[in-house]
Amino acid sequence: FTQSVDRHGYQVRREDKTLARAVSFAGEGEFGRKNFETSLYFQDNWVPRTGLVVEAGVRADWDQLVRDPLVSPRLAVAFAPRRLGGAKLSAGIGIFYDALNLRTLSQHLDQRAISLFYSRDGRLTAGPLETFFVVDETRLRAPRYRNFSLGVERSLGGGFHGRVNYVNKRGRRGFTYMPLESPGPQNRFGLFNARNDHYDAVDFTARRTFHGQYEWVAGYTRSSARSDAV
């Protein structure tokens, strides 16, 4: 990640044009950040019986920033029993880790904002107030997610096929900046693994192929995403 920013100061004025706040920036707007990542993945599948397929895998990741060895197991099953008239059931569950966002991890290298606050008569009422970020990589861990999916697919007649799929995602240890105690006129924010995310979605899909080559697809998705730190 490489950044080159040339910021200028700005002013915030009230409706009557009096100065309310003046902001300037200190520090360098040019910096860079590198990371080295390596991954291994193993996967196998079994067919215990006709119409039943089981796939299992595990992934291992490591990077030079967080430095924790990450192990992510996954399991998926697809089942198409004859008594269901061609319907197919599928389910999967796995652990996933987000790739590290170098922009987030390098926020502390960026410039610092310095604010001055003024009353309507032009008097300085507060400041200079400095806002900056702190990152302690030795305390950070990789954000972790557990994904689960469940699907049903079958023929609807007339050459149409329908599918209903449910996705459930739960994340924890996500990165977010939180306020820190400051000894003086400062706004300090530290990076922590304090974010939790919930995601649920149900999607409906119908498809049909005409003349063996023209495919028509229609779909609808209903989803909900919630987080305690955005």
Side-chain angles (χ1 to χ4, degrees):
F1 173 80
T2 302
Q3 175 177 298
S4 179
V5 176
D6 183 16
R7 296 185 178 93
H8 60 79
Y10 64 90
Q11 296 179 346
V12 179
R13 294 185 176 270
R14 304 180 181 90
E15 291 183 358
D16 60 2
K17 306 302 181 182
T18 58
L19 180 62
R21 179 185 179 191
V23 180
S24 61
F25 295 92
E28 295 293 332
E30 297 187 10
F31 59 89
R33 196 68 191 277
K34 296 181 180 181
N35 186 23
F36 177 81
E37 300 176 347
T38 182
S39 301
L40 293 174
Y41 188 78
F42 300 93
Q43 179 176 304
D44 201 356
N45 65 77
W46 298 269
V47 184
R49 49 174 292 187
T50 301
L52 176 62
V53 178
V54 179
E55 288 190 350
V58 61
R59 174 174 173 146
D61 295 272
W62 181 90
D63 71 90
Q64 69 179 138
L65 296 181
V66 176
R67 294 182 178 275
D68 289 332
L70 307 175
V71 179
S72 312
R74 293 97 185 266
L75 178 67
V77 178
F79 185 39
R82 293 181 179 178
R83 62 178 178 272
L84 292 185
K88 183 179 73 172
L89 307 176
S90 59
I93 188 170
I95 302 299
F96 295 83
Y97 292 92
D98 266 357
L100 297 182
N101 187 318
L102 294 183
R103 177 69 183 92
T104 300
L105 290 171
S106 60
Q107 185 76 34
H108 62 296
L109 302 175
D110 206 346
Q111 291 178 301
R112 307 180 304 278
I114 301 175
S115 300
L116 300 173
F117 299 87
Y118 297 88
S119 63
R120 290 185 181 274
D121 59 6
R123 291 183 299 106
L124 180 66
T125 58
L129 179 65
E130 186 176 9
T131 300
F132 61 96
F133 299 86
V134 178
V135 176
D136 182 1
E137 293 177 359
T138 61
R139 300 173 54 183
L140 297 177
R141 303 179 67 189
R144 181 181 187 273
Y145 294 86
R146 190 272 296 147
N147 291 2
F148 170 75
S149 64
L150 181 65
V152 180
E153 183 176 357
R154 66 163 301 161
S155 173
L156 302 177
F160 287 89
H161 287 79
R163 178 178 176 84
V164 179
N165 194 61
Y166 169 67
V167 175
N168 174 283
K169 183 177 179 179
R170 296 293 182 265
R172 62 186 183 92
R173 300 201 316 239
F175 290 145
T176 185
Y177 280 95
M178 301 181 66
L180 300 173
E181 292 186 4
S182 301
Q186 297 176 340
N187 281 332
R188 294 198 308 155
F189 297 89
L191 186 62
F192 294 95
N193 290 109
R195 174 172 174 165
N196 298 285
D197 300 308
H198 289 190
Y199 176 80
D200 296 275
V202 178
D203 64 80
F204 305 87
T205 305
R207 75 176 192 276
R208 190 182 191 282
T209 302
F210 296 91
H211 303 292
Q213 57 180 332
Y214 304 108
E215 187 175 45
W216 173 91
V217 178
Y220 172 78
T221 300
R222 177 73 176 180
S223 63
S224 171
R226 302 180 302 279
S227 178
D228 56 8
V230 179

